[in-house]
Structures are given as structure tokens and as C-alpha cells.
Amino acid sequence: MRGKSVLLIIGGGIAAYKSLELIRRLAERGVKTRAILTRAGEEFVTPLSVAALTGEKVFQDLFSLTDEAEMGHIQLSRSADLVVVAPATADLMAKMANGLANDLASTTLLATHKKVLMAPAMNVRMWQAASTQRNFETLKRDGVLFVGPEDGEMACGEFGPGRMAEPLEIVAAIERALALPGPLSGIRALVTAGPTQEPLDPVRFLANRSSGKQGYAIAEALARAGAETLLISGPVDIAPPSGVKLMRVTTAREMLAACEAALPADVAVMTAAVADWRPDIAANSKIKKNTDRVVPLIKLVENPDILATLGAHPRRPRLLIGFAAETENVVQNAVAKRKAKGADWIVANDVSGDVMGGDRNRVHIVSAKNGKDEPAEDWPDMTKTEVGARLAARIAQYLGHAA
Ligand code: CTP
């Protein structure tokens, strides 16, 4: 676990003092801790002692402008390998189980896509309350990991389950959580995204409206599922996804060279809107309007087809997935594209609406079994992030890596 980092949320409970020891134990093992201290947590331990032990500023307020400028709540959890809630109070569990987000801790828990480990600590009657038990079940179903609570004498004098696990036990649970493989661990994934730009001269180029959002969401979902992911991206204006190796290219020919250099890969998802043509000559200096007043004719030549090249490649990925941007006969055209380009699946999307640049997508999955076309799978309208997650799960299932 050396070199890993944990975001520790310290809730309000008498067990908060044990969290200080937890931070020390993690530091001994080379694990870096950043902490969020809730308002209630502050009643039990001081921000100063937490800061002294973590060696970092303690995060407390959702709307602190300097914190938002330095590091927003989304970034806070993204930069950690695991989110640990200790003590996890009944209140924090209830908030997370129900998706409430009204302070920094609950907002971070709602926004994170990292694994969350909770160490509950509360009075035995609070733990046994029907609502807490319901929340506990919901959280487990949502994939939250738990350590404790233990039976024992409690600070309030009662006896029973509710006591927070000891720091060393929490350390062991953290160790297990950090080692948990994702459904795509050991898989190498290649994703292309965005448009390509084809230069006409040093200041002009041909391009298209692709935003890259869908490809970035897919790369992030694959990485989250444990795949070693390389994203080869044309020029776009979005932040690099976390956990993904990003390589930027400009033209179709550069994208092809980068893809071939990245082989072998187990799975390749080609979402890029590659320019089909490029100007046959890219002038070295700016084409001037005033030289002879003749409107230049742009002659186009065909670009290489990256998907088709990979489809016929000696090191063809085991699973090759293309995208099809269509404005009519969506499925029919996608079926033809799958065969023509030697892809296993085509994710067809209807781009006649505001799909390009938007946050939602409606896709149809076209595939074949034993050389015979399968009926298209129609996915309902969903966010591009959801399309990414669902596609990553389908890929894991196909590669026999389902969780
Ligand atoms: N593609 C590619 N190289 C190209 C053109 C497209 O790799 N030069 C890939 C895209 O990344 C996508 C798939 O091929 O995965 C289909 O792209 P699309 O633009 O829908 O199809 P085209 O082949 O360009 O066909 P058309 O424009 O005629 O619909």
C-alpha cells in the first residue's frame, strides 16, 4: 500500500479520537491521508491535531472559496485511491444511502467514484434502529465496504454492536480494499476520442463538431473498472479523465500511428470522429487572399481508416469496437459499417439531434455471433457517463472478466 492515498472523512462521534491513530498507522505504512472533518467531528477532535498528523490542510467547508479554487470536492476524492469514513455516524450513513449532499462530507460521498470503506460507530440502539439497518443494506448493495462495528462496552455505558473497529483492523480493511481487483484488471484498453484536425495551412484546418465527451467517459469507465487505459485524443476542450494515460494528437494520420504503436491491446474502442478527408497539400505558409484574388480550390484526399486498419491488423485487438455517427437508417448503416471495417461491435448513435457536444446519448449496439448478425440492442437515452459504465460492464462480460 506504500504510495497510495486515502481520503478520510471524520464524522462526529467519540470514536473520532481513534481516527487520529488511524492516520498515524497509515503514515507508518507509507499511505498519505487527506482529511475532511465534519462540523460534528470537530466537537471531538480539533482541525489542528488532524492537520498536524496528516501534514496537510484539513477540509471542512463545502463553500470555502479558497478550497474550491485550490481543490473542489470532486477533485478531493479523485486524487485519492480510497475514501474511508471513520467514524461513520448514523447520520453520514443515512445521507450517503439516500444521496443527500448538504455539506462537504456528504457531497464528496455522493460525487465520488472511488471505493468507499465505512467504519460505523454509534450507540447500540442507533445501530440496531430499523432505519440504520436499512441504510446499511442499501449501502452494501451500492458497493460500499464496511469494517465493524464491533460488540463491546460503549462510551455511553451500554453493551452491544456499535463500537468502531480498532485502527489496526481498519488498516487491514483498507489494505484489502486497495488490493481488490476491478472487473477489467489486467486488461489493456485503447480508446480514441474527439475530432481530428486536418491542416490547410498554418492557421486553417478542416475539423468536425465532435466534443470527445463520449470517448472520455468510456476511457474513464474502463480505467475505473481496472483496465490499463490509453486514450488517444484529438483536440478537445475537456479535462483529462482520471486514471487514464492521455496522448494528444492532431491529424488522422497521427492518430493512426499512435494507435498502431499502442498495440497489442485487449480491447479498442474507437469513438473518434476521424476526418475522412484531408487537404491534399498543407501549405507551409498562410495562403494569402491578396496574391491573385483567385478563390483557392481545396482538393481533398482520403485519410486512412483507423478502425478498418485495426480490423485487419496482425495484432488486432481481441475486441474491436467502432462507433457510427448516423443521421438516418442508424442501425442498418451500423451493421454495414461493422462488416466493412472488421469490427466486433458498433455502437451506433443518432447524431441528428444535439448529441454532438451534449451530455446525453442514445445508442444501439450492433454485434454478431458466429458470423451472424445479432439483433441490435437498443439502450435507452442516458448520460454519456452511463453509456461509458454500461459499455465497460459489457466489455468485462465479453472478455470473461465480469465481477
Ligand atoms: N473511423 C476511423 N477512421 C476514419 C473514419 C472513421 O477509424 N478515417 C472510425 C470511427 O472512429 C468510428 C467508425 O470508424 O469508430 C465509424 O465512423 P463514421 O464517421 O460513423 O463512419 P465513416 O466510415 O466515416 O462513414 P460515413 O462518414 O460514410 O458515415
Side-chain angles (χ1 to χ4, degrees):
M1 30 186 203
R2 188 157 290 280
K4 297 281 184 186
S5 71
V6 158
L7 177 67
L8 175 64
I9 298 179
I10 305 176
I14 188 79
Y17 76 92
K18 291 194 202 170
S19 305
L20 299 181
E21 193 189 335
L22 175 62
I23 298 169
R24 288 185 40 213
R25 298 292 184 194
L26 288 171
E28 283 165 12
R29 287 161 178 75
V31 176
K32 193 167 171 39
T33 306
R34 273 212 174 100
I36 292 179
L37 184 58
T38 65
R39 281 271 161 260
E42 220 180 298
E43 302 290 330
F44 296 89
V45 290
T46 68
L48 195 61
S49 27
V50 178
L53 286 169
T54 57
E56 284 256 1
K57 162 181 179 27
V58 177
F59 296 86
Q60 292 172 278
D61 294 317
L62 181 55
F63 296 111
S64 153
L65 286 178
T66 51
D67 286 359
E68 283 297 320
E70 286 164 13
M71 176 174 296
H73 59 275
I74 307 268
Q75 196 49 36
L76 203 52
S77 74
R78 286 206 170 168
S79 58
D81 296 295
L82 181 71
V83 180
V84 177
V85 190
T89 57
D91 179 63
L92 278 171
M93 285 176 63
K95 279 181 175 156
M96 189 178 183
N98 293 286
L100 294 185
N102 58 0
D103 57 14
L104 182 58
S106 53
T107 307
T108 304
L109 287 170
L110 185 62
T112 189
H113 62 250
K114 293 293 162 73
K115 265 177 273 177
V116 176
L117 172 71
M118 287 190 146
M122 65 198 76
N123 164 277
V124 57
R125 288 176 206 284
M126 289 171 76
W127 174 252
Q128 286 169 341
S131 50
T132 303
Q133 288 303 305
R134 254 195 325 270
N135 294 334
F136 181 42
E137 289 308 318
T138 304
L139 290 168
K140 279 196 290 190
R141 253 200 323 276
D142 290 346
V144 173
L145 305 168
F146 280 87
V147 52
E150 292 172 355
D151 278 350
E153 182 113 32
M154 314 200 57
C156 53
E158 289 188 78
F159 189 89
R163 215 172 69 176
M164 187 166 94
E166 292 304 315
L168 280 178
E169 267 178 69
I170 301 177
V171 168
I174 291 173
E175 210 154 22
R176 284 194 300 274
L178 286 173
L180 272 186
L184 285 173
S185 316
I187 290 293
R188 273 174 66 109
L190 167 66
V191 180
T192 65
T196 63
Q197 287 179 356
E198 309 297 332
L200 192 56
D201 68 14
V203 297
R204 303 182 178 94
F205 56 81
L206 293 184
N208 58 67
R209 291 188 197 282
S210 167
S211 68
K213 282 183 188 170
Q214 185 60 82
Y216 275 52
I218 290 169
E220 186 156 348
L222 291 170
R224 200 178 310 156
E228 182 193 326
T229 308
L230 171 66
L231 171 62
I232 299 174
S233 172
V236 295
D237 202 15
I238 43 182
S242 64
V244 168
K245 189 168 163 210
L246 176 66
M247 186 175 174
R248 294 182 204 273
V249 295
T250 306
T251 66
R253 286 183 295 173
E254 284 169 17
M255 189 174 272
L256 173 63
C259 286
E260 290 193 278
L263 297 177
D266 297 289
V267 55
V269 190
M270 319 303 281
T271 73
V274 185
D276 290 321
W277 308 281
R278 66 175 184 278
D280 70 337
I281 299 167
N284 286 330
S285 52
K286 189 183 168 199
I287 302 170
K288 300 292 288 177
K289 181 172 63 180
N290 294 332
T291 331
D292 50 16
R293 290 247 150 227
V294 179
V295 177
L297 273 182
I298 302 170
K299 184 168 174 248
L300 298 177
V301 291
E302 203 167 334
N303 261 334
D305 191 302
I306 303 172
L307 178 61
T309 307
L310 261 51
H313 205 278
R315 281 176 291 153
R316 182 190 189 279
R318 253 199 295 161
L319 177 59
L320 180 60
I321 306 173
F323 263 64
E326 305 289 349
T327 51
E328 53 201 358
N329 302 328
V330 179
V331 169
Q332 205 181 320
N333 285 337
V335 170
K337 260 181 205 171
R338 191 193 69 70
K339 286 184 192 144
K341 301 197 184 199
D344 297 300
W345 304 349
I346 291 279
V347 181
N349 50 353
D350 187 340
V351 291
S352 53
D354 55 2
V355 164
M356 281 196 148
D359 289 322
R360 304 187 71 84
N361 208 351
R362 197 188 162 100
V363 303
H364 312 269
I365 312 288
V366 164
S367 62
K369 208 175 204 166
N370 306 324
K372 266 192 66 189
D373 289 330
E374 291 272 286
E377 237 180 72
D378 304 317
W379 290 5
D381 173 73
M382 57 182 92
T383 63
K384 290 184 174 174
T385 308
E386 284 164 339
V387 171
R390 201 158 152 176
L391 195 64
R394 202 183 193 281
I395 291 169
Q397 200 175 31
Y398 179 89
L399 294 176
H401 274 245

